[in-house]
Amino acid sequence: MDRIIKAVCFGGKARLALIDTTEAVNKAIKTHDLSPLAAAALGRSLTVGAYIMHNLKNKDDRFNLIIDGGGPLGRICVAGEEGAIKGFVDNPQTDLPLREDGKLDVGGAVGNNGDMVVVKDLGLKEPYVGRSALVSGEIAEDYANYLYKSEGIANSVALGVMNDANGCKASGGIIVEALPDADENMLFMLEDVMTNFTALSSLMCEKSIEEIGEFYFGHLNTEFFPAESVEYGCKCASKILGVVRSLGRSEAESIIAEQGVIEVKCDFCAAKYRFGAEDLDTIFGKNGEDH
């Protein structure tokens, strides 16, 4: 089961999250027919998305994460609402030669000539928009940079995705954030622990995130909270009529006259919806309203 385990270290002077998104990545691979490289990039981003989602305060809050580094993968888009995350990449079959160390070249696929943007709809008049320049395109460094530059949080981020011929074997992340009362010695100890996670996905094949948390952070006066489930799914079905209604009846009739139907495809889940002339009264009402 995909899940996130939150904790506080040093008696509440730093916070920790351990995240497992393996099932989410496997669902994304099937939905979008992702190459191993695309799956690695989107998987890391989904883990960041799970972290953002589970730090929103209210159930109606929503977020969007957009990473666009100018690389061949194109944009990575992750969104979350009603407790569920979803995501896609522009070019899901992107493939590049392995790096010299034998690892997937996520940074080369994403690129680093662009930004990471986080949009949070918190029910206020205007959404919160945070932005930072990409550092490497490897996602973990970029999100760490975002947290520090855009939200002023000292932090460390480790992300990993391991794929094989059958899909994703392990995907997840470990994120620590220093709170204002953390001193230099605490920061040093956290940084030292985080050096153990350069191959996080390999470690996750051997240990659960519960075991990783206890083994590497248990000695830091850490209090672990109950696991929260991470759901991968799309809520587009409840909104698709609104998308068609936004066209206005006259424009909808014009499209149907020209193309026979209105077809709407969701980028996040690849679902397709088709509407014909017989559906217009249901969408706009029988009195011919044109919204």
Side-chain angles (χ1 to χ4, degrees):
M1 179 190 76
D2 284 353
R3 60 208 182 279
I4 179 170
I5 298 172
K6 297 179 183 177
V8 290
C9 306
F10 303 114
K13 295 185 178 181
R15 63 179 186 174
L16 162 70
L18 302 111
I19 310 158
D20 187 330
T21 53
T22 306
E23 291 183 11
V25 176
N26 275 313
K27 290 178 180 178
I29 290 171
K30 292 179 180 178
T31 298
H32 301 294
D33 190 23
L34 300 172
S35 69
L37 182 56
L42 181 57
R44 296 180 190 183
S45 305
L46 285 169
T47 299
V48 171
Y51 183 71
I52 296 171
M53 181 83 253
H54 283 266
N55 280 312
L56 298 176
K57 293 183 178 180
N58 303 308
K59 66 177 183 178
D60 294 330
D61 293 346
R62 299 177 294 173
F63 81 91
N64 287 85
L65 167 68
I66 304 100
I67 301 169
D68 189 355
L73 190 66
R75 294 173 305 153
I76 303 173
C77 299
V78 174
E81 60 182 335
E82 299 178 32
I85 56 171
K86 55 188 177 180
F88 70 91
V89 299
D90 280 342
N91 301 306
Q93 284 298 308
T94 300
D95 192 19
L96 293 174
L98 296 175
R99 302 185 326 195
E100 290 184 1
D101 60 5
K103 294 185 178 181
L104 292 169
D105 190 5
V106 173
V110 175
N112 59 15
N113 184 25
D115 297 319
M116 173 178 285
V117 179
V118 177
V119 182
K120 299 177 185 177
D121 183 349
L122 307 177
L124 306 175
K125 289 184 178 180
E126 298 292 334
Y128 165 85
V129 180
R131 180 188 304 266
S132 65
L134 294 176
V135 176
S136 66
E138 294 283 343
I139 312 299
E141 294 171 281
D142 302 303
Y143 187 56
N145 182 62
Y146 166 84
L147 284 174
Y148 184 71
K149 293 288 182 65
S150 186
E151 300 191 7
I153 300 170
N155 69 90
S156 184
V157 179
L159 303 171
V161 178
M162 178 179 288
N163 300 303
D164 63 14
N166 298 315
C168 178
K169 290 184 65 178
S171 172
I174 299 174
I175 299 173
V176 295
E177 295 184 3
L179 298 177
D181 289 340
D183 60 36
E184 290 295 324
N185 186 52
M186 295 173 184
L187 294 176
F188 176 80
M189 293 175 71
L190 287 170
E191 290 174 358
D192 184 57
V193 171
M194 291 296 287
T195 61
N196 292 287
F197 307 127
T198 55
L200 178 59
S201 55
S202 296
L203 183 60
M204 288 181 64
C205 290
E206 301 171 1
K207 296 178 181 289
S208 69
I209 56 172
E210 289 85 354
E211 292 170 331
I212 292 171
E214 186 60 44
F215 185 83
Y216 289 100
F217 295 95
H219 65 292
L220 301 179
N221 189 17
T222 300
E223 178 185 1
F224 295 96
F225 303 115
E228 303 170 38
S229 64
V230 173
E231 177 189 351
Y232 182 90
C234 189
K235 312 290 184 179
C236 63
S238 62
K239 302 174 183 176
I240 210 70
L241 290 181
V243 173
V244 179
R245 193 175 291 119
S246 69
L247 295 171
R249 182 157 191 153
S250 59
E251 178 65 17
E253 289 175 340
S254 176
I255 293 172
I256 291 173
E258 181 179 334
Q259 302 180 11
V261 296
I262 297 172
E263 183 172 286
V264 182
K265 179 183 177 182
C266 176
D267 288 329
F268 285 102
C269 69
K272 293 182 180 180
Y273 301 86
R274 296 166 66 89
F275 302 93
E278 68 278 7
D279 299 308
L280 295 186
D281 283 347
T282 300
I283 297 170
F284 295 102
K286 293 184 178 181
N287 295 324
E289 296 94 330
D290 193 342
H291 300 289

